[in-house]
């Protein structure tokens, strides 16, 4: 199993894409503390590796972008797709989805 990481700079329309293996996170291997904003942050020695923002329920893994990552820029603004037209084009039927 692999993890795909997509980094985006929407202002500049620049993006970076790379993948890496998924590895287990052993919680006791890291030092954890709460920062001034109330976020739980994890360290390996002095390297900041994780941030959990409980107010947004977001967990971030901080890691360097590898040299071989694919970097690209959008140079042409694509047209905005209309949801109803896309659904019509693919022949969507409401029984494709069951709301639980």
């Amino acid at each position: 199993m692999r993890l795909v990481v997509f980094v985006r700079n929407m202002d500049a329309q620049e993006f970076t894409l790379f993948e890496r293996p998924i590895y287990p996170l052993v919680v006791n291997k890291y030092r954890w503390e709460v920062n001034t904003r109330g976020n739980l942050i994890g360290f390996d020695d002095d390297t900041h590796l994780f941030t959990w923002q409980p107010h947004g329920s977001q967990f971030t893994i901080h890691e360097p972008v590898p040299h071989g990552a694919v970097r690209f820029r959008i140079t042409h603004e694509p047209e905005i797709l209309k949801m109803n037209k896309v659904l019509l084009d693919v022949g969507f039927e409401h029984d494709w989805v069951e709301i639980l």
Side-chain angles (χ1 to χ4, degrees):
M1 198 176 287
R2 312 256 319 148
L3 174 71
V4 174
V5 179
F6 184 63
V7 182
R8 61 189 186 149
N9 176 341
M10 295 302 286
D11 293 333
Q13 293 290 297
E14 294 177 350
F15 306 89
T16 302
L17 182 70
F18 66 95
E19 63 178 287
R20 66 158 177 79
I22 292 178
Y23 50 85
L25 299 176
V26 181
V27 176
N28 295 338
K29 178 181 173 186
Y30 307 102
R31 178 175 49 88
W32 299 91
E33 59 187 60
V34 176
N35 69 11
T36 57
R37 290 178 292 225
N39 300 328
L40 182 65
I41 52 178
F43 296 87
D44 183 13
D45 295 323
D46 289 328
T47 305
H48 179 190
L49 295 177
F50 309 105
T51 302
W52 179 57
Q53 299 167 314
H55 50 278
S57 296
Q58 179 176 330
F59 183 72
T60 303
I61 301 172
H62 305 273
E63 63 181 86
V65 175
H67 179 71
V70 175
R71 291 179 167 84
F72 60 97
R73 177 182 301 120
I74 304 291
T75 59
H76 172 73
E77 188 72 32
E79 70 176 270
I80 296 175
L81 300 174
K82 304 236 184 294
M83 179 67 76
N84 289 338
K85 179 169 180 351
V86 171
L87 293 175
L88 200 69
D89 289 348
V90 299
F92 176 77
E93 299 290 337
H94 290 281
D95 62 356
W96 289 4
V97 178
E98 179 182 1
I99 305 297
L100 303 176

